[in-house]
Amino acid sequence: MVKKGAIIAVVIALLTALAACGKSTETSSSSSGEAKKKVIVGTDAAFAPFEYMDKGKIVGFDVDLLDAVMKEAGIEYELKNIGWDPLFAALQSKEIDMAISGITINDKRKQTYDFSIPYFEATQMIMVKENSPIKNALDLKGKTIGVQNATTGQEAVEKLLGKGNKNIKKFETTVVAIMELLNGGVDAVVTDNAVANEYVKNNPNKKIKVIPDSKHFESEFYGMMFPKGSDLKAKVDEALKKVMKSGKYAEIYKKWFGTEPNLDKLLK
Ligand code: ARG
């Protein structure tokens, strides 16, 4: 018969091992035995429905997609809400390993960062009060326009009104830009379509409407962003493709947007 003492010793050893597992949040052992760091992913969680704070947790379409992709790739990660402007600096200094934040892939950013394959199609739209005289992008001339600093929304407005135009008001977050619209501090906000639509849907009492203008706002594609040369890109791309083809992407898309995605356009 096995001694009671021996059993207790084994149980204690097991519990100690378990406790150690729970504690090691920063590192984990890879199959080859060497310690590997958790991948740190940065975001600006003030951009519903892509990423926003809900009861102290970061949630949204990007958050669910990231989780599906990282699970598929077998990568352990931690998502951190660090804000929009700091995202770019933190990636460049490799303080974080990647970013997901409704980030539009464009040539300027591609000079400094690497991007995953595109995972979402978007375009800029105009948010105004329901009684606003603004009907399209050209009507923005002479009006004050709120944008989130260093976004493609800012770029789109600069293209229309000229860079450095004093009527372009830049805010740290899209949420603050929308607050300014409500307060009458700006006449319009230019931001990504899904974000504008989500706000109007969730705040019918605020009397805000969304104006599309496909003539002046081009189609944009979101990608996950990496420091240049990151070896994460290939792994993430492969997993992202699998998630798109397996039906998981469509499931997440339907949860957040209520419709079927057009995957052909993203995968071509
Ligand atoms: N798509 C736009 C851009 O890349 C806006 C993204 C803003 N994202 C955010 N989480 N605040 O410039």
Side-chain angles (χ1 to χ4, degrees), residues 156-174:
V157 177
E158 282 175 346
K159 227 169 153 186
L160 287 161
L161 305 188
K163 226 180 164 149
N165 188 310
K166 291 271 183 308
N167 285 335
I168 307 173
K169 311 280 183 212
K170 300 170 214 160
F171 300 96
E172 200 182 322
T173 67
T174 301

Side-chain angles (χ1 to χ4, degrees), residues 100-160:
I100 185 163
S101 208
I103 307 169
T104 301
I105 304 169
N106 66 20
D107 288 342
K108 208 163 98 204
R109 290 173 181 161
K110 275 202 277 189
Q111 287 174 10
T112 319
Y113 307 96
D114 282 346
F115 282 94
S116 69
I117 56 165
Y119 71 83
F120 193 88
E121 186 178 8
T123 189
Q124 296 302 306
M125 280 194 186
I126 306 163
M127 298 176 76
V128 290
K129 291 202 171 144
E130 265 170 22
N131 57 4
S132 167
I134 296 168
K135 299 252 164 332
N136 54 49
L138 294 181
D139 289 342
L140 294 174
K141 294 219 167 95
K143 300 280 194 281
T144 52
I145 300 122
V147 295
Q148 182 177 10
N149 188 49
T151 56
T152 47
Q154 177 184 331
E155 248 171 57
V157 177
E158 282 175 346
K159 227 169 153 186
L160 287 161

Side-chain angles (χ1 to χ4, degrees), residues 61-82:
F61 173 82
D62 281 353
V63 179
D64 286 352
L65 182 64
L66 174 73
D67 193 62
V69 167
M70 296 309 241
K71 276 205 181 110
E72 176 65 49
I75 299 173
E76 267 200 73
Y77 73 98
E78 190 183 333
L79 182 61
K80 286 191 175 165
N81 181 18
I82 67 170

Side-chain angles (χ1 to χ4, degrees), residues 5 13 22 30 53 55 60-61 68 77 95-96 102 109 113 119-120 138 183 190 192 220 236 248 260-261:
S30 68
M53 298 307 296
K55 298 181 196 92
F61 173 82
Y77 73 98
E95 228 169 283
I96 59 173
R109 290 173 181 161
Y113 307 96
Y119 71 83
F120 193 88
L138 294 181
N183 296 338
V190 172
D192 299 36
E220 303 181 10
V236 166
K248 184 73 191 165
E260 288 285 341

